[in-house]
Amino acid sequence: MKQEGKYKKYQWVELNLKRKADDFRPESFYPADISLPDIEILNTIDTSGNWRERKQIILESGPKVYTSLSELIEDSKSSNNISLATFKPSRITKFSWQQDDRDWKAGFKRHIDQHDMFDERDRKEIQNVRKVPYKFYYHFEDENGKSSRMMIEDWEIGALYWTCLKAADGNEEKALIKEKQRFFDIFTTKNDIYFFLGTTMQFHRRRASNPFVIIGVFYPLKERPSTQTSLFG
């Protein structure tokens, strides 16, 4: 991928897209050319006004915000095949993790080596990306009190792990505690949390009981109620 084709989170880009023949999910599109020769980098949506513009796009003018996980799963099984959604949990009850493989699976490495969409530099960059040796989960309830545990596949949580590990001088236990402080202790106290949920094609195709994972976390600060004091009481 060309260096000038890089972009940031919450930055608009324009490029040609196409559908993958074997992916039935309606929200799944791919770059027409993986080298991104036609990409145009546009403006970034900043966090001013407590994420005012981001909230307007995602929560107000965007697709429906789900509050019932059962309803979302039913919509994923219907003819709509919903595979991408914004979800508002009523309560986040826990943040947990479990150990995972410490290296990429051999099949992933072979796929990168054999795929002609990557040049030699891209292959080296991808294979040099460190694999986070833990999986992270949110435990939460929806508006109906339905309890769930869902894996967090957000790039941001992996990047934070390496930052925490460095700050903890390589002590993984301390790094995990720091991760929890950010994604649970601070977020659930100070931030208004929404999940970006997406299905994995494998489990969506099987019509699994829950094909969704958390692919992103939307976390503006909680709004403080206005406190206007009248001069007359």
Side-chain angles (χ1 to χ4, degrees):
M1 185 181 295
K2 294 180 179 179
Q3 192 73 14
E4 61 268 21
K6 293 189 175 181
Y7 52 90
K8 299 181 290 185
K9 291 182 72 173
Y10 296 102
Q11 184 166 32
W12 289 108
V13 299
E14 287 185 359
L15 72 159
N16 290 317
L17 299 174
K18 65 180 181 180
R19 297 298 304 271
K20 192 174 180 181
D22 62 349
D23 194 336
F24 65 93
R25 296 172 297 172
E27 294 92 357
S28 294
F29 290 86
Y30 303 82
D33 186 335
I34 196 66
S35 65
L36 305 182
D38 58 340
I39 191 169
E40 184 175 354
I41 309 297
L42 305 176
N43 61 300
T44 301
I45 306 171
D46 63 26
T47 59
S48 61
N50 191 21
W51 296 31
R52 181 178 58 250
E53 188 176 359
R54 294 184 183 185
K55 287 191 288 188
Q56 194 276 325
I57 293 170
I58 293 169
L59 305 180
E60 299 172 23
S61 61
K64 172 181 179 177
V65 176
Y66 284 84
T67 53
S68 167
L69 189 59
S70 297
E71 180 186 6
L72 174 57
I73 292 171
E74 284 303 309
D75 283 352
S76 77
K77 295 178 180 178
S78 72
S79 58
N80 294 329
N81 282 316
I82 295 297
S83 63
L84 185 66
T86 302
F87 177 83
K88 173 63 173 170
S90 65
R91 190 164 72 101
I92 298 175
T93 57
K94 186 179 178 181
F95 176 85
S96 65
W97 57 83
Q98 67 181 42
Q99 287 193 353
D100 193 19
D101 296 332
R102 292 187 170 267
D103 197 5
W104 301 109
K105 294 184 183 299
F108 171 78
K109 293 182 176 181
R110 285 197 302 270
H111 173 76
I112 299 301
D113 286 337
Q114 295 169 3
H115 213 301
D116 59 8
M117 71 169 57
F118 302 107
D119 61 26
E120 190 60 32
R121 185 187 66 181
D122 291 333
R123 289 192 182 95
K124 288 180 180 179
E125 285 185 1
I126 293 170
Q127 291 176 346
N128 285 337
V129 172
R130 293 179 294 175
K131 184 181 182 304
V132 177
Y134 293 91
K135 293 179 179 179
F136 299 98
Y137 300 87
Y138 266 137
H139 304 241
F140 60 91
E141 295 177 357
D142 72 357
E143 67 173 1
N144 302 311
K146 177 182 173 66
S147 297
S148 301
R149 184 190 80 154
M150 201 173 290
M151 186 163 64
I152 309 169
E153 289 277 17
D154 186 9
W155 169 87
E156 193 170 335
I157 198 168
L160 179 62
Y161 171 78
W162 297 118
T163 300
C164 291
L165 188 66
K166 182 177 181 180
D169 296 322
N171 185 308
E172 292 188 2
E173 184 177 353
K174 290 182 179 179
L176 292 167
I177 292 173
K178 288 178 179 290
E179 189 105 18
K180 175 181 175 292
Q181 288 173 344
R182 172 63 171 167
F183 267 78
F184 185 75
D185 299 346
I186 295 176
F187 271 3
T188 57
T189 302
K190 296 184 177 181
N191 299 80
D192 190 20
I193 304 298
Y194 295 78
F195 299 151
F196 297 136
L197 302 184
T199 64
T200 61
M201 184 167 63
Q202 175 189 7
F203 288 105
H204 197 160
R205 192 185 299 279
R206 292 180 184 177
R207 303 304 190 194
S209 58
N210 181 9
F212 288 92
V213 295
I214 300 170
I215 59 175
V217 181
F218 188 68
Y219 50 91
L221 290 173
K222 292 179 178 179
E223 295 283 358
R224 294 182 179 179
S226 59
T227 54
Q228 294 183 348
T229 303
S230 170
L231 294 175
F232 303 101

